[in-house]
Amino acid sequence: MTEELAKTYDPAAIEDKWYGIWEENGFFNADFDKDKPAYCITIPPPNVTGELHMGHAMQHAIHDLMVRWKRMQGYETLCLPGTDHAGIATQMKVEQQLQETEGKNRYDIGREAMLELIWQWKGKYGDAIYSQLRKLGASYDWRRERFTLDEGYVEAVLQAFERFQAQGWIYRGTRMINWCPQCRTVISDLETEERELAGHLWHIRYPGKDGGPDVIVATTRPETMLGDTAVAVHPSDTRWADAIGQQVELPLMDRAIPIVADEYADPEMGSGAVKVTPAHDPNDYEIGQRHQLKQIQVIGFDAIMTAAAGRFAGLDRYACRKAIVEALEEANLLVKIEDHEHAVPHHDKCGAVIEPLPMEQWFMNMKELAQKTKPALEEKQINYVPDRFRQYAIDWLDNIRDWALSRQIWWGHRIPAWYCMQCSADGLVPMGDLEREEALRQGSFRVSVADGAKPFVSVEKPTRCEDCGGEDWVQDPDVLDTWFSSALWPFATLGWPRESADLDYFYPTDLMITARDILYLWVLRMAMVSLECREQIPFKTVLVHPTILTKDGRRMSKSLGTGLNPLDLVDLYGADATRYSLLAQAGAMQDVRFDAEIADNKVQSSTSAEAGRNFGNKLWNATRFVLMNVEGYQPGVCASEQWADRWIWSRLQATVRDVTEHLEHYRFSDVTRVVYDFVWRDYCDWYLELAKVRLQGGDGEARNIAQDNLVRVLEHALRLLHPIMPFITETLWQALPQEGAKESVMVAQWPIFDAALLDADAEVEMERLQEIVTAVRVIRGEMNVPPAKKIQVKISASSPEIEEALQQVKPYLMLLCRAETLEIGQAITQPAASGSAVTADAEIYVPLEGLIDLDAERKRLEKEIQKFTGLLKGLDAKLSNEKFTGKAPAEVVERERQRQEEYRVNVAKLNASLILIGK
């Protein structure tokens, strides 16, 4: 029973309906099936920081395209959804909300109350994310949705930590770390972003002590000089050979510091001497370690100067900078100030400037895992698309550093480390959260346990201390870096650490689709952890999808007013058009400038999405035409030797071949282009028109053959298009008359390429017809012949064989050319006042007498020629004027040159048309 189609295509009327039907019928579900090959994707879990943006929409359009394609190919296809707790980012959002609504911070309400607020936030935005994915048509197995803080996942994370610590990779130690004074936590190197800022280089004179030389050093951060404990010079720098071992006075602090020899100092830079602040610079920290220099922390964990800063204590670090510069000028110790642009590390989440500080934290040595992972990349066990990212990954592994694991926040996986209160009594400083905040404010940060206290790592709280027999334990207050838990995602979501049929069947997964900005933060860490915990790669292919930018190349951001919610596009154009527009732009370029017009953080229009909707309209109307012409049709295969049928099946097979190949190589823009060209051009523009000859003729058998081919080719096309535009294809596929029971196009078989149906002869025949019809249409357009007006056409064939071939398709030529009469012959003379065109096989003439008012057309053409000649004369004069070309901006001059060329082409075309109708 075919479903009656509405007259117009309305995405809103079909999309919610079909999604509900698919989900209710379990079409998204995947389970172990020994008789089917498995295909598995675990989606990159979106952060529950808020709703999805256009980058996510691009990613999930690709996900669902691949999943629907593989499902149609007969794979037991699992796409496992989930969300990430995103520790720092989510807690930051909720803290901002708490501050805005109640004027409080997390320490004001305490750990438990804060966590309760964050869980409420997670519930709201986790649901919103899943709603967005459903609206986009994502065919994911929602029974299996996971969250990185759900019970089973927590077990996996804690066991992994315990395992890695037992291997000797995880340790607690003091290192220079990146501290975010706004989020009040350590962050890893990969969570910082360098921003080029316009600053200054202050040159400061450090007076020599006891007859030693004065030293001039340069710094971009004068506030750190208060913590200087040395000046370094290169051991081979002869200028300073006699100064090594002497002392200088630290300005403003009345403290003597030594001059040390260290190869870090660059003799080519300035004076060759550098100030050394071991507590506030990673390089200076290393110098300090080599020379046993004291670490003096003068900037606190809240970015306020500490008591060690002397008279500058209590100032914000930037206020302190200003005060120090003024004090140095007063003391005549500021030699000069230079403008200086330099890279400054910022927290990639909150944007605060990072403060390097030495702290005792949890770290993970990654070298052994990196060495285990490198061969898997070199041997292409994991493929990268594009492949260049694989080499970048190998280079990163070669230079890997220890991973700072601990975070001083509350939202996340609490580190499973315990401290015995009894045997650590001498060094233990139990500290509640409010006390901890006060310590932060005072700039004397302490963790809940004293630095150096002995940790005992265990998933469960220990019962009895092995060293002293004590039973009173305190857990480390810090949580793990979010990326530690995310690194387990592909296998923890499938049940690890427990063995299961799912793990055996679906793992390793097949595809990881991600953006390039987390290739090291996440993708490589998944590979390393999987090879350790599962002794398997986590996925066979890493697909790096394009990054979505605004149309003018800016980052998409709600805060910048350039944000874009994909549901805005869905509301305007429908999910199918939105998916189409995104996939059409997912080509080889790694940055995509999305063409949406945005105002007030809402989409106003999008050219590409509008093109997708227009494509949907075209497909809808074509299907309605077919359905209106299937009266009396009985589904079944009708053999046809008619050239038009052979041509459309040949084109269809070429399309099946090309689309499948492009999908296999992840060329999504090519997939959309090839399907679009076949549906719009081959099927709608040409084959539907050709079929009208038989549909409207009196031959019942010919009509039935045309009906059969129209339906079957369209049905194949809908299957090809389904992974791109699932909703409209389901609606139209259900409406087509077909043999047998119909479930859903999403579980129908993917079209299989049949080389036997490729037909070069039919394609040559069709190409000849298309050239002639196109030539006639061009003549109509150039001569302003009304589209509905019948015309006379004369075709002079180049040979008897061509003449005979054209006679065979004469009814089709007459229909497509809207010809009242059609003369086909050889050596036909061109009539007077006629339009003409030449193709490879024929000359075409269209007599214009009686079609248009020749005198009026001559006058119109002459007027247009006069207009464009005048415009061209003015442009020629303008562009020959050196004052204009020399002073005007280059883009303005180029624009005028383009207009000049355009006017020349117009004049040439108008003159040619005037000659055709006779002067």
Side-chain angles (χ1 to χ4, degrees):
M1 186 73 180
T2 59
E3 182 175 310
E4 186 174 345
L5 288 182
K7 288 185 178 179
T8 57
Y9 168 45
D10 178 9
I14 64 172
E15 291 179 351
D16 286 343
K17 165 194 167 183
W18 281 116
Y19 198 90
I21 291 173
W22 292 330
E23 196 166 359
E24 288 166 14
N25 282 275
F27 292 143
F28 303 162
N29 299 345
D31 296 292
F32 172 76
D33 186 340
K34 64 179 178 62
D35 296 322
K36 294 171 70 175
Y39 185 86
C40 181
I41 299 176
T42 55
I43 74 167
N47 294 341
V48 291
T49 46
E51 296 175 334
L52 303 183
H53 53 65
M54 285 305 298
H56 293 108
M58 164 78 81
Q59 188 178 84
H60 289 283
I62 294 171
H63 271 93
D64 200 49
L65 168 67
M66 294 299 298
V67 166
R68 289 179 182 270
W69 171 50
K70 286 297 180 180
R71 190 181 288 122
M72 294 176 75
Q73 283 192 317
Y75 289 84
E76 186 68 7
T77 304
L78 169 61
C79 193
L80 191 150
T83 49
D84 196 298
H85 68 280
I88 293 175
T90 305
Q91 180 165 313
M92 182 182 73
K93 289 279 188 181
V94 179
E95 282 199 79
Q96 288 172 349
Q97 184 183 64
L98 180 65
Q99 184 66 42
E100 291 167 4
T101 57
E102 300 183 30
K104 296 178 179 179
N105 64 29
R106 69 183 188 254
Y107 300 103
D108 294 326
I109 66 172
R111 188 171 194 137
E112 295 308 315
M114 186 67 193
L115 288 175
E116 185 178 342
L117 287 178
I118 302 175
W119 275 108
Q120 290 172 9
W121 176 283
K122 180 267 174 187
K124 175 182 176 180
Y125 286 102
D127 290 348
I129 287 167
Y130 287 155
S131 176
Q132 285 179 296
L133 291 175
R134 284 179 162 93
K135 281 283 189 183
L136 288 168
S139 58
Y140 303 163
D141 190 343
W142 297 108
R143 304 170 306 161
R144 295 173 175 266
E145 65 183 63
R146 298 299 302 270
F147 178 53
T148 52
L149 279 176
D150 66 33
E151 185 177 348
Y153 206 96
V154 169
E155 179 189 3
V157 171
L158 299 184
Q159 285 208 20
F161 184 94
E162 188 177 44
R163 175 179 183 145
F164 298 157
Q165 195 267 345
Q167 292 274 45
W169 299 333
I170 290 179
Y171 63 94
R172 186 168 175 81
T174 299
R175 298 278 298 275
M176 180 63 74
I177 52 82
N178 302 300
W179 178 262
C180 175
Q182 181 166 313
C183 297
R184 306 290 179 87
T185 183
V186 172
I187 62 171
S188 73
D189 293 336
L190 292 175
E191 292 169 299
T192 66
E193 60 181 19
E194 301 282 344
R195 299 181 187 174
E196 289 291 330
L197 299 182
H200 296 94
L201 200 58
W202 286 272
H203 295 258
I204 305 167
R205 181 166 57 86
Y206 286 23
K209 296 279 288 181
D210 302 325
D214 290 359
V215 177
I216 295 174
V217 298
T219 180
T220 59
R221 304 184 67 205
E223 65 276 13
T224 64
M225 67 172 287
L226 305 177
D228 284 2
T229 53
V231 168
V233 296
H234 198 278
S236 66
D237 192 338
T238 56
R239 292 172 296 176
W240 299 106
D242 294 335
I244 295 170
Q246 297 192 55
Q247 294 182 322
V248 294
E249 182 177 306
L250 180 62
L252 311 181
M253 297 301 286
D254 298 323
R255 186 167 72 237
I257 58 175
I259 298 173
V260 299
D262 195 278
E263 293 186 352
Y264 174 74
D266 185 354
E268 302 298 321
M269 295 292 290
S271 69
V274 294
K275 59 187 287 298
V276 181
T277 319
H280 293 286
D281 182 272
N283 295 311
D284 292 3
Y285 176 80
E286 297 297 330
I287 297 173
Q289 293 294 297
R290 289 192 288 270
H291 298 275
Q292 292 82 49
L293 299 176
K294 187 177 180 181
Q295 297 173 4
I296 302 176
Q297 185 176 339
V298 295
I299 301 174
F301 294 87
D302 53 0
I304 301 298
M305 305 306 290
T306 69
R311 60 183 163 124
F312 301 99
L315 291 177
D316 170 81
R317 54 182 167 172
Y318 298 119
C320 178
R321 178 181 298 179
K322 182 178 178 183
I324 285 176
V325 170
E326 291 174 354
L328 289 170
E329 286 179 323
E330 289 176 8
N332 199 31
L333 295 174
L334 187 63
V335 179
K336 64 177 178 177
I337 304 173
E338 294 179 311
D339 291 337
H340 181 66
E341 189 172 286
H342 60 127
V344 178
H346 290 66
H347 187 183
D348 64 1
K349 297 295 187 297
C350 71
V353 174
I354 293 304
E355 194 61 51
L357 294 171
M359 288 179 65
E360 186 178 50
Q361 294 289 312
W362 288 95
F363 295 92
M364 183 168 174
N365 186 315
M366 304 299 291
K367 291 191 181 299
E368 194 171 330
L369 284 174
Q371 290 306 308
K372 183 181 289 190
T373 304
K374 185 178 176 182
L377 301 186
E378 292 174 330
E379 297 163 11
K380 293 191 176 182
Q381 295 175 38
I382 301 175
N383 292 304
Y384 277 73
V385 180
D387 184 63
R388 65 179 179 275
F389 289 107
R390 184 178 58 85
Q391 187 57 53
Y392 298 162
I394 292 170
D395 293 342
W396 187 78
L397 290 174
D398 285 337
N399 297 282
I400 201 163
R401 299 172 65 179
D402 286 7
W403 180 2
L405 292 179
S406 42
R407 300 291 180 269
Q408 287 67 51
I409 59 173
W410 297 339
W411 177 241
H413 297 269
R414 195 162 174 178
I415 292 175
W418 307 82
Y419 301 85
C420 173
M421 294 284 284
Q422 186 170 320
C423 68
S424 300
D426 291 340
L428 194 64
V429 184
M431 188 178 288
D433 292 321
L434 296 179
E435 293 174 297
R436 183 176 180 175
E437 169 64 1
E438 185 59 32
L440 278 168
R441 288 173 178 149
Q442 294 175 3
S444 57
F445 177 82
R446 300 290 296 277
V447 292
S448 292
V449 292
D451 290 348
K454 179 183 176 183
F456 181 84
V457 172
S458 172
V459 171
E460 302 296 334
K461 181 179 179 180
T463 56
R464 187 177 179 84
C465 178
E466 296 176 355
D467 294 332
C468 71
E471 298 180 354
D472 193 4
W473 297 87
V474 61
Q475 186 177 0
D476 196 302
D478 292 346
V479 300
L480 286 165
D481 178 10
T482 293
W483 297 107
F484 184 91
S485 53
S486 300
L488 280 63
W489 182 254
F491 55 90
T493 52
L494 291 169
W496 189 89
R498 292 174 174 81
E499 294 299 323
S500 66
D502 278 352
L503 261 176
D504 290 339
Y505 184 54
F506 289 114
Y507 201 81
T509 66
D510 291 272
L511 182 62
M512 174 52 63
I513 305 169
T514 186
R516 64 179 182 269
D517 58 339
I518 54 175
L519 287 174
Y520 310 136
L521 271 170
W522 187 44
V523 174
L524 268 179
R525 286 170 174 168
M526 283 190 285
M528 288 188 276
V529 170
S530 178
L531 285 166
E532 167 60 23
C533 294
R534 294 291 304 163
E535 297 185 348
Q536 292 174 288
I537 57 172
F539 26 71
K540 298 163 189 171
T541 299
V542 175
L543 173 64
V544 185
H545 67 71
T547 298
I548 302 286
L549 305 174
T550 63
K551 64 185 299 182
D552 56 357
R554 291 185 293 165
R555 180 172 62 89
M556 282 198 172
S557 164
K558 291 278 185 186
S559 61
L560 296 175
T562 57
L564 182 52
N565 186 332
L567 294 193
D568 293 346
L569 278 178
V570 173
D571 290 341
L572 284 171
Y573 302 106
D576 283 333
T578 299
R579 290 166 62 114
Y580 174 89
S581 68
L582 291 164
L583 292 167
Q585 296 178 82
M589 298 297 291
Q590 274 295 305
D591 286 329
V592 171
R593 296 192 176 195
F594 198 76
D595 59 13
E597 295 290 345
I598 306 169
D600 300 323
N601 270 331
K602 282 192 72 69
V603 181
Q604 306 301 311
S605 64
S606 165
T607 304
S608 61
E610 190 169 338
R613 185 181 61 187
N614 292 341
F615 183 36
N617 282 331
K618 183 83 167 181
L619 183 62
W620 188 274
N621 292 334
T623 305
R624 287 192 75 245
F625 171 82
V626 172
L627 293 176
M628 288 188 293
N629 285 277
V630 292
E631 184 179 351
Y633 167 62
Q634 295 297 320
V637 178
C638 296
S640 173
E641 291 300 316
Q642 209 268 357
W643 67 273
D645 298 333
R646 290 188 290 113
W647 170 76
I648 195 63
W649 280 100
S650 181
R651 293 299 310 131
L652 174 63
Q653 291 309 310
T655 302
V656 170
R657 177 196 63 206
D658 294 347
V659 168
T660 303
E661 181 183 339
H662 290 321
L663 282 169
E664 288 168 348
H665 292 88
Y666 310 104
R667 297 191 290 255
F668 304 116
S669 60
D670 290 334
V671 170
T672 58
R673 175 183 52 79
V674 171
V675 177
Y676 177 96
D677 286 349
F678 175 78
V679 171
W680 191 297
R681 183 191 62 198
D682 295 339
Y683 187 80
C684 296
D685 285 356
W686 291 103
Y687 188 70
L688 283 185
E689 296 301 316
L690 293 171
K692 289 177 182 178
V693 172
R694 287 176 288 171
L695 292 174
Q696 297 166 4
D699 187 334
E701 182 181 355
R703 174 182 168 82
N704 193 52
I705 291 173
Q707 289 173 326
D708 184 67
N709 285 287
L710 280 170
V711 170
R712 288 195 296 120
V713 172
L714 178 57
E715 191 273 336
H716 277 69
L718 292 174
R719 281 189 273 152
L720 282 176
L721 186 57
H722 176 73
I724 303 169
M725 304 176 79
F727 296 106
I728 189 172
T729 51
E730 183 72 85
T731 303
L732 301 180
W733 189 83
Q734 294 287 345
L736 287 180
Q738 300 176 52
E739 286 187 307
K742 293 188 293 185
E743 277 192 294
S744 167
V745 67
M746 72 178 291
V747 291
Q749 185 184 53
W750 180 254
I752 298 173
F753 171 60
D754 184 352
L757 292 176
L758 293 176
D759 194 321
D761 292 340
E763 299 224 19
V764 169
E765 291 286 334
M766 185 62 186
E767 185 178 351
R768 182 185 299 121
L769 179 140
Q770 288 173 323
E771 286 181 348
I772 292 171
V773 171
T774 300
V776 171
R777 289 173 177 172
V778 168
I779 294 170
R780 272 182 173 275
E782 290 180 347
M783 294 294 103
N784 289 321
V785 177
K789 201 160 191 176
K790 293 279 189 174
I791 59 174
Q792 298 177 42
V793 179
K794 299 176 182 291
I795 302 175
S796 181
S798 60
S799 69
E801 292 78 16
I802 298 299
E803 179 184 357
E804 182 181 352
L806 292 176
Q807 291 289 358
Q808 294 293 322
V809 298
K810 185 173 182 179
Y812 301 99
L813 285 169
M814 291 189 69
L815 174 72
L816 296 173
C817 294
R818 296 192 63 78
E820 186 174 23
T821 63
L822 173 59
E823 179 186 353
I824 299 173
Q826 293 179 67
I828 295 176
T829 305
Q830 179 177 359
S834 65
S836 67
V838 178
T839 69
D841 297 317
E843 293 181 35
I844 301 103
Y845 310 121
V846 178
L848 300 173
E849 192 77 47
L851 284 178
I852 58 175
D853 184 328
L854 294 178
D855 288 335
E857 181 62 11
R858 282 191 199 96
K859 289 177 182 177
R860 185 191 72 81
L861 290 170
E862 288 167 351
K863 187 176 180 179
E864 286 289 293
I865 290 169
Q866 186 177 13
K867 179 185 81 172
F868 279 107
T869 301
L871 291 170
L872 187 57
K873 184 177 180 182
L875 271 178
D876 288 343
K878 188 176 186 180
L879 289 168
S880 62
N881 185 340
E882 291 183 1
K883 289 183 179 180
F884 170 72
T885 56
K887 293 183 178 180
E891 61 270 18
V892 172
V893 175
E894 179 58 26
R895 188 163 60 244
E896 293 298 87
R897 292 195 193 283
Q898 290 174 357
R899 287 177 60 208
Q900 181 187 45
E901 181 59 26
E902 180 186 332
Y903 292 166
R904 282 176 180 159
V905 171
N906 287 346
V907 169
K909 286 183 177 179
L910 291 165
N911 276 315
S913 297
L914 189 60
I915 291 170
L916 284 175
I917 65 172
K919 292 187 178 179

